[in-house]
């Protein structure tokens, strides 16, 4: 785990090929099962992520936003079997600066080191920083996401 001013990164080795991990990460309909924070409720008629510039919408729930809400997630990183990332924004708005980045490093034909980074260092709106109380997602919740990913791509849950 590394924590810098404005970001947290966690890494875990997952017993699955990078392509299988990437398959799960690029399907927004699977994100609820990966979400260690408990905020993701479901996807909103989303397609597989296939490149930078795509936007996918998620149905969310959280007291920090007064209950149910939606987010638009703008894909900012896409490198098949290596990296996928997005900046999140309240639906219908431009991203205010926080980003989720999943980096995959194949360590063998059936093992992948996965690093999940939650970065809010580019959020400049002081009112938003106070309202949301970054980091909104903890290191433990990020580690829970990696554990859920490991389960999602495990032998009994192939993608």
């Amino acid at each position: 785990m590394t924590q810098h001013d404005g970001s947290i990164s966690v890494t875990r080795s997952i017993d699955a090929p990078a392509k299988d991990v990437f398959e799960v990460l690029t399907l927004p309909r699977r994100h609820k099962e990966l979400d260690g924070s408990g905020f993701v409720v479901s996807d909103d008629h989303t397609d597989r992520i296939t490149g930078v510039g795509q936007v996918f919408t998620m149905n969310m729930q959280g007291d920090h936003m007064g209950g149910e809400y939606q987010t638009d997630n703008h894909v900012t990183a896409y490198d098949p079997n290596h990296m996928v990332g997005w900046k999140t924004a309240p639906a219908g708005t431009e991203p205010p600066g926080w980003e989720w980045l999943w980096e995959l490093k194949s360590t063998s034909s059936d093992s992948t080191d996965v690093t999940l980074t939650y970065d809010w260092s580019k959020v400049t709106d002081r009112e938003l920083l106070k309202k949301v109380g970054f980091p909104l997602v903890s290191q433990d919740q990020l580690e829970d996401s990696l554990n859920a990913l490991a389960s999602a791509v495990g032998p009994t849950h192939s993608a």
Side-chain angles (χ1 to χ4, degrees), residues 93-127:
T93 68
E94 287 301 309
W98 65 89
E99 184 172 29
W100 302 94
L101 183 65
W102 300 81
E103 297 173 276
L104 288 60
K105 182 180 178 188
S106 190
T107 55
S108 73
S109 62
D110 59 357
S111 183
T112 307
D113 284 347
V114 179
T115 299
L116 171 56
T117 300
Y118 168 46
D119 183 345
W120 65 96
S121 64
K122 294 178 181 79
V123 176
T124 58
D125 181 330
R126 292 188 188 278
E127 289 304 312

Side-chain angles (χ1 to χ4, degrees), residues 4-119:
H4 301 286
D5 194 23
S7 72
I8 302 170
S9 293
V10 294
T11 301
R12 179 197 161 134
S13 181
I14 294 179
D15 293 330
K19 70 177 183 56
D20 291 354
V21 175
F22 194 76
E23 286 284 315
V24 170
L25 291 173
T26 56
L27 269 180
R29 69 177 167 82
R30 306 266 330 249
H31 289 188
K32 177 182 176 24
E33 68 188 276
L34 308 179
D35 175 33
S37 72
F39 296 138
V40 176
V41 173
S42 63
D43 68 310
D44 188 57
H45 308 293
T46 58
D47 295 321
R48 178 178 294 283
I49 298 167
T50 58
V52 170
Q54 276 182 277
V55 177
F56 62 95
T57 302
M58 301 301 287
N59 299 311
M60 310 289 286
Q61 170 75 38
D63 292 341
H64 63 285
M65 294 292 286
E68 295 180 4
Y69 62 101
Q70 285 189 320
T71 59
D72 287 340
N73 300 278
H74 301 252
V75 179
T76 55
Y78 183 87
D79 182 5
N81 305 329
H82 297 284
M83 180 185 308
V84 64
W86 51 86
K87 288 186 177 176
T88 300
T93 68
E94 287 301 309
W98 65 89
E99 184 172 29
W100 302 94
L101 183 65
W102 300 81
E103 297 173 276
L104 288 60
K105 182 180 178 188
S106 190
T107 55
S108 73
S109 62
D110 59 357
S111 183
T112 307
D113 284 347
V114 179
T115 299
L116 171 56
T117 300
Y118 168 46
D119 183 345

